């Protein structure tokens, strides 16, 4: 479970790169979260991370409500997008979004604690497909998100391999 780390190492090159895939995913998650002011500012927590997988939570605050007094869709999207980012970067290859879609199924309300679970569906070469499901504390599905990823140069943890 992530404890809310808010500082980052002087350089990610100073870190030893774990060889165990789960330890590597955790190190990537910790490093990314430390530099992720957006996710921190929205109250998100990385609860679990593994290769191709991430589970994040976010409380719905009163300042996240729209004119219907439900959670603004942009906040649901941000939670899904963050879970997607942690999932697709979990193997320590810098990865960005190339596109995504979201379907809103039900509203969230002030006081809800939302959970986004991102799971890798496909990873081939430089591209991947990830599905994210957002639920509330009662397990009710609020949104379904599908993200497409593209691997770029670089790593999150440690120095890139020498060529």
């Amino acid at each position: 479970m992530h404890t809310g780390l808010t500082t980052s190492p002087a350089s990610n090159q100073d870190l030893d790169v774990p060889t165990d895939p789960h330890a590597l995913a955790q190190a990537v998650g910790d490093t990314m979260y430390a530099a992720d002011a957006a996710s921190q500012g929205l109250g998100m927590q990385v609860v679990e991370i593994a290769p191709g997988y991430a589970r994040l939570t976010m409380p719905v605050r009163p300042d996240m409500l729209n004119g219907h007094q439900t959670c603004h869709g942009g906040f649901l999207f941000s939670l899904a997008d963050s879970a997607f980012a942690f999932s697709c970067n979990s193997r320590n290859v810098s990865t960005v979004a190339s596109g995504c879609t979201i379907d809103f199924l039900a509203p969230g309300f002030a006081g809800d604690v939302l959970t986004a679970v991102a799971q890798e569906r496909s990873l081939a070469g430089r591209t991947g497909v990830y599905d994210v499901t957002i639920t509330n504390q009662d397990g009710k599905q609020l949104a379904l998100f599908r993200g497409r990823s593209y691997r770029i140069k670089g790593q999150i943890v440690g120095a890139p391999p020498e060529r």
Side-chain angles (χ1 to χ4, degrees):
M1 176 179 248
H2 195 279
T3 58
L5 177 69
T6 58
T7 59
S8 61
S11 166
N12 69 358
Q13 294 180 359
D14 296 338
L15 298 175
D16 290 329
V17 179
T19 56
D20 174 72
H22 289 278
L24 179 59
Q26 186 64 54
V28 167
D30 289 345
T31 300
M32 285 180 58
Y33 187 83
D36 188 346
S39 294
Q40 290 180 37
L42 292 173
M44 293 180 203
Q45 292 292 312
V46 179
V47 177
E48 184 180 5
I49 188 167
Y53 175 90
R55 182 165 49 102
L56 277 65
T57 60
M58 181 183 77
V60 178
R61 305 182 311 233
D63 64 338
M64 295 175 165
L65 303 182
N66 61 24
H68 297 290
Q69 295 301 292
T70 61
C71 185
H72 190 286
F75 292 111
L76 294 171
F77 181 92
S78 293
L79 175 60
D81 188 48
S82 288
F84 167 49
F86 282 94
S87 177
C88 69
N89 281 279
S90 62
R91 289 188 172 84
N92 200 31
V93 178
S94 293
T95 305
V96 296
S98 64
C100 62
T101 60
I102 190 165
D103 292 300
F104 301 110
L105 308 176
F109 300 97
D112 281 352
V113 177
L114 307 182
T115 299
V117 174
Q119 297 181 302
E120 185 177 86
R121 298 299 182 203
S122 172
L123 182 61
R126 298 184 96 175
T127 63
V129 176
Y130 296 77
D131 286 334
V132 183
T133 302
I134 298 177
T135 57
N136 67 12
Q137 66 280 355
D138 298 322
K140 183 175 185 174
Q141 287 190 358
L142 304 187
L144 301 173
F145 172 106
R146 173 160 277 188
R148 295 177 309 280
S149 68
Y150 185 78
R151 289 180 159 190
I152 60 174
K153 291 181 184 177
Q155 295 178 201
I156 293 84
V157 177
E162 305 234 354
R163 294 185 183 220

